[in-house]
Amino acid sequence: MAENLDATDWAILAELQRDGRVALTELGRRVSLSASAATDRLRRLESLGVITGYRADIDLTKVGYPVLAVVRLKYPGSRHEPLHRLLERRQEVLECLRTTGEDCYTLKVAAGSMAHLERLVDELARFGSTTTNVVYSQTLPYRGPGTPPDEGRP
Amino acid sequence: MAENLDATDWAILAELQRDGRVALTELGRRVSLSASAATDRLRRLESLGVITGYRADIDLTKVGYPVLAVVRLKYPGSRHEPLHRLLERRQEVLECLRTTGEDCYTLKVAAGSMAHLERLVDELARFGSTTTNVVYSQTLPYRGPGTPPDEGRP
DNA sequence: CCGGTCGCCGGGGATCCGCCGGTATATTCC
DNA sequence: GGAATATACCGGCGGATCCCCGGCGACCGG
């Protein structure tokens, strides 16, 4: 499962997490490689499934979703399909983590207003009891690790 | 704050969330616009700050971080700088949301193993009491809304 | 030694990007 | 009304970039 990445691969991954649209020529320059060598490595990372895609980061406030919240859902039943269908239909649900513990799901949702958030939570509450926390601020932008775990001294 | 985006802008945003590395020519084709018109709109969205950046999505399991967890931290003090410094230094912390409620912070962390996660939680517990839930699965890949809030019928 | 593999480099044609001018429609101002 | 301005789009051109291919050197294993 560990795909045996060397330091150059990690440098490429780091660069692409910082600037996912960088030109291949420039990418090679940044990791001290020719453009074609960097491209070979990038294509390999893509075909191995290490890189699963590229996406633009959007300022949710500027597109009309200024309210961010974490909703935890305690779902007593075992039939999860109806919930999953709702989550897929509702684009306001940004992330859905199924976890251990009392609260089976931890969701990150965006809303246009408190009234909007209230409606979303009501809809989710049809499936179980919810706990909602509004987000003041998101300290870190989403990012990923830049080096292997180094389990000897993690 | 709402930057007055029309349907074409939303189509561009949707396309870039699906494939952030699409060529401008192809982007124009996908939203039924010439390449230069699509480029103009994209640059406008970037300069308005609607698009804040581009990044590659990485399969954390394949790069040696198979364990994902949500850690909530109840932080009694008011001096947050030491905590923030730790969060910045620790690349295992993927996301940091400061929220309402008892648990001031909700963190999403990645680890190479349970032992690694244990160490991370121990480190965080120096700042307050923590609640940790391991993630079974991440149902939705990260995504954003594809249309304006439509608060009339949200 | 020698054939095979691997990673990297460089070239050349096709494609794309960035910039410019031009057009059509709507708005504003005199 | 009529003209000037603004906005959004298109198309084209030079230069940069991408994609594909062949070649080079290092590193095995026989």
Side-chain angles (χ1 to χ4, degrees):
Chain A
M1 200 60 75
E3 298 289 2
N4 202 23
L5 309 178
D6 63 15
T8 304
D9 289 322
W10 280 104
I12 289 174
L13 291 177
E15 196 53 45
L16 288 171
Q17 303 223 16
R18 216 175 48 76
D19 177 11
R21 249 183 111 81
V22 63
L24 296 176
T25 305
E26 178 63 20
L27 177 64
R29 209 169 294 139
R30 302 234 182 108
V31 301
S32 305
L33 231 52
S34 77
S36 52
T39 304
D40 288 349
R41 281 173 176 269
L42 174 57
R43 297 287 177 256
R44 176 173 160 271
L45 292 172
E46 288 172 347
S47 70
L48 283 175
V50 172
I51 296 173
T52 57
Y54 304 88
R55 68 184 69 256
D57 267 2
I58 296 196
D59 184 329
L60 290 169
T61 296
K62 294 206 173 153
V63 296
Y65 291 83
V67 178
L68 200 64
V70 177
V71 180
R72 283 175 285 137
L73 174 64
K74 182 174 170 181
Y75 187 52
S78 60
R79 289 180 55 257
H80 295 264
E81 299 84 7
L83 174 62
H84 289 180
R85 251 179 285 127
L86 173 65
L87 298 178
E88 294 230 3
R89 204 176 67 239
R90 282 263 156 239
Q91 61 181 354
E92 295 96 334
V93 181
L94 305 179
E95 242 178 301
C96 170
L97 306 173
R98 192 166 170 204
T99 65
T100 61
E102 287 256 322
D103 302 304
C104 316
Y105 291 95
T106 297
L107 312 176
K108 186 169 146 192
V109 305
S113 65
M114 276 298 177
H116 185 181
L117 177 60
E118 189 177 7
R119 280 174 176 253
L120 287 171
V121 173
D122 283 348
E123 207 162 358
L124 290 167
R126 293 196 295 112
F127 292 92
S129 64
T130 60
T131 306
T132 303
N133 295 104
V134 176
V135 173
Y136 291 132
S137 63
Q138 186 155 2
T139 307
L140 296 173
Y142 187 88
R143 62 171 184 179
T147 58
D150 188 12
E151 307 235 16
R153 190 210 47 74
Chain B
M1 198 60 75
E3 299 289 3
N4 203 23
L5 309 179
D6 64 15
T8 304
D9 289 322
W10 279 106
I12 289 174
L13 291 178
E15 196 52 45
L16 288 171
Q17 303 224 19
R18 217 175 48 78
D19 177 11
R21 245 182 116 79
V22 63
L24 297 177
T25 305
E26 178 62 21
L27 178 63
R29 209 169 295 140
R30 302 236 181 109
V31 300
S32 305
L33 231 54
S34 76
S36 52
T39 305
D40 288 349
R41 279 173 176 269
L42 175 56
R43 296 288 176 256
R44 175 171 161 271
L45 292 172
E46 287 172 347
S47 69
L48 283 174
V50 172
I51 297 173
T52 57
Y54 303 88
R55 68 185 67 255
D57 266 2
I58 295 196
D59 184 329
L60 290 169
T61 297
K62 294 205 174 154
V63 295
Y65 291 83
V67 178
L68 201 63
V70 177
V71 181
R72 283 174 287 139
L73 173 64
K74 182 174 171 182
Y75 187 51
S78 61
R79 289 179 56 257
H80 295 263
E81 299 84 6
L83 175 61
H84 289 181
R85 251 180 286 126
L86 173 64
L87 298 178
E88 294 230 2
R89 203 176 68 240
R90 283 263 156 238
Q91 60 180 355
E92 295 95 333
V93 180
L94 305 179
E95 241 177 300
C96 170
L97 306 174
R98 192 166 170 204
T99 66
T100 61
E102 288 256 319
D103 302 305
C104 315
Y105 291 94
T106 297
L107 313 175
K108 186 169 146 190
V109 305
S113 63
M114 277 298 177
H116 185 181
L117 177 61
E118 189 177 7
R119 280 174 177 254
L120 287 170
V121 172
D122 284 348
E123 207 163 356
L124 291 167
R126 293 196 295 112
F127 292 93
S129 63
T130 59
T131 306
T132 303
N133 295 103
V134 176
V135 173
Y136 291 132
S137 64
Q138 186 155 2
T139 307
L140 296 173
Y142 187 88
R143 62 171 184 179
T147 57
D150 187 13
E151 308 236 12
R153 190 210 49 74

